[in-house]
Amino acid sequence: MNKRNKVKTLFLMIMVNLLLIPQSYVSAQETVSDAWQDVAVKANQQEFQSFHMEGTVGVKISSQNMTSDFGNLEIDALVNAQPIALQMVAKIVSPFVGSEAVGFESYAKEGFNYIYNTQSKEWKTSEWTVSEEDILDSLQASFKNVSNGLVESEMTSEAKTFIDKYFEFEEKGQDYLFKLKKDINGASFYNDLDKAIDLKQLVKQSANKAIEQSEDLGQPIDREYEESLGEFLNPDMFEDFFNMNPQMTVTYESVTGLIKNFFFMIDTDPKVFIDSVSQTDRSNLPELISISANFDFDQYGQSFNIQVPLEAMQTSEENTIEE
């Protein structure tokens, strides 16, 4: 992973830690604090459960005051909690991949993964390296560990100052929206955030959790993961990130405390791709690349009867892939 990709990964991790799961310190005014605490308490009462997710990752390019779609990745997924099962159908729609969309299907059920794409037109399978019970226990433990800490966190004056300065709250019916403000100075954000929370500790905890979960699921990741993240944690990198005009909004259902929508968008200078394209193609790079992600979450707690296609289950062992 190159330096700029690591930077984007790090900032997304920090933003998600701040917004994706409600924490009691993310509010500055009394009304926001009351709403946030209400959501946090209700999230704490939840357990990992089945859900449906649907969304799009889109890319737009702009040149000479004209903007056009470069491509979209559309995803529709079902996650069943008991028994553990997954169904994900995705497709890439872009004028650069031809007149027909490139499609993908993925299923996980009863100890096996099944993957298909419309280009190879064949199914590939792999076997789970851990049991279904272990996967469910790991997911439930992770969810509980996060939610248990929500109501225990106390809002410090530094955290109040930070959140009041950089985040907005909006109530729409039974929805609570938490938004990242616009026109943020990256270096100031870094300094204020460092006062509000221990950034190094946040990276350490996130890395330890990622390593622990990956080992529980039989897919260990690099032990230098923490070091690679911490290396880029500095004001300059925050400035680079906020120069991309990030927008982020996370919506929760106020009655249950469950996430309903996640939206994120950045504007990227195409020059970051210069090293990966040929000299000839560099002159064709657009002036701006906008990347957005918009995901809806619903149908919590429902039981999904996920069915693996018959042709996938009949896949021969010679098509087995390594995880």
Side-chain angles (χ1 to χ4, degrees), residues 158-257:
E158 292 83 3
K160 289 180 180 180
T161 300
F162 171 78
I163 295 302
D164 188 41
K165 185 175 181 179
Y166 296 109
F167 295 93
E168 298 175 346
F169 168 75
E170 181 180 355
E171 183 176 359
K172 287 187 176 181
Q174 292 187 331
D175 293 342
Y176 290 165
L177 286 71
F178 294 86
K179 300 180 180 180
L180 184 68
K181 289 185 178 180
K182 297 180 179 180
D183 302 320
I184 292 175
N185 178 282
S188 297
F189 185 96
Y190 171 87
N191 292 327
D192 292 336
L193 180 59
D194 201 31
K195 294 176 183 176
I197 61 176
D198 188 337
L199 283 174
K200 291 183 178 179
Q201 185 65 19
L202 173 62
V203 170
K204 183 177 180 64
Q205 290 175 348
S206 299
N208 287 341
K209 186 175 297 182
I211 291 171
E212 179 182 345
Q213 291 177 345
S214 66
E215 290 176 345
D216 288 344
L217 297 176
Q219 296 179 326
I221 60 177
D222 190 344
R223 280 285 178 176
E224 295 181 355
Y225 182 67
E226 178 186 342
E227 182 179 347
S228 66
L229 290 178
E231 180 182 349
F232 303 103
L233 197 63
N234 60 69
D236 290 339
M237 294 304 179
F238 274 76
E239 285 194 353
D240 286 345
F241 178 75
F242 282 103
N243 284 339
M244 293 188 286
N245 303 313
Q247 299 177 44
M248 176 179 277
T249 302
V250 185
T251 303
Y252 300 96
E253 211 285 324
S254 62
V255 175
T256 63

Side-chain angles (χ1 to χ4, degrees), residues 130-157:
V130 293
S131 69
E132 178 180 316
E133 291 76 16
D134 289 339
I135 295 175
L136 182 60
D137 288 345
S138 178
L139 290 170
Q140 289 179 334
S142 176
F143 186 89
K144 264 306 179 194
N145 287 340
V146 172
S147 60
N148 282 341
L150 305 183
V151 256
E152 295 172 1
S153 301
E154 294 184 1
M155 192 190 312
T156 65
S157 60

Side-chain angles (χ1 to χ4, degrees), residues 22-46:
Q23 302 184 45
S24 59
Y25 59 72
V26 185
S27 58
Q29 303 172 10
E30 184 175 354
T31 54
V32 179
S33 177
D34 289 344
W36 195 270
Q37 187 67 28
D38 180 49
V39 171
V41 169
K42 288 170 180 174
N44 178 262
Q45 297 170 350
Q46 302 290 339

Side-chain angles (χ1 to χ4, degrees), residues 110-145:
E110 297 177 346
F112 288 90
N113 302 315
Y114 308 86
I115 300 175
Y116 176 85
N117 73 74
T118 56
Q119 289 186 316
S120 68
K121 298 186 183 301
E122 67 176 13
W123 287 93
K124 296 184 177 181
T125 65
S126 61
E127 191 170 359
W128 295 358
T129 57
V130 293
S131 69
E132 178 180 316
E133 291 76 16
D134 289 339
I135 295 175
L136 182 60
D137 288 345
S138 178
L139 290 170
Q140 289 179 334
S142 176
F143 186 89
K144 264 306 179 194
N145 287 340

Side-chain angles (χ1 to χ4, degrees), residues 8-56:
K8 292 178 184 178
T9 300
L10 172 61
F11 282 103
L12 283 173
M13 177 194 70
I14 292 174
M15 292 298 102
V16 169
N17 268 279
L18 289 171
L19 286 175
L20 192 54
I21 301 294
Q23 302 184 45
S24 59
Y25 59 72
V26 185
S27 58
Q29 303 172 10
E30 184 175 354
T31 54
V32 179
S33 177
D34 289 344
W36 195 270
Q37 187 67 28
D38 180 49
V39 171
V41 169
K42 288 170 180 174
N44 178 262
Q45 297 170 350
Q46 302 290 339
E47 293 186 354
F48 176 76
Q49 55 188 293
S50 304
F51 67 91
H52 168 248
M53 181 195 77
E54 183 177 12
T56 302

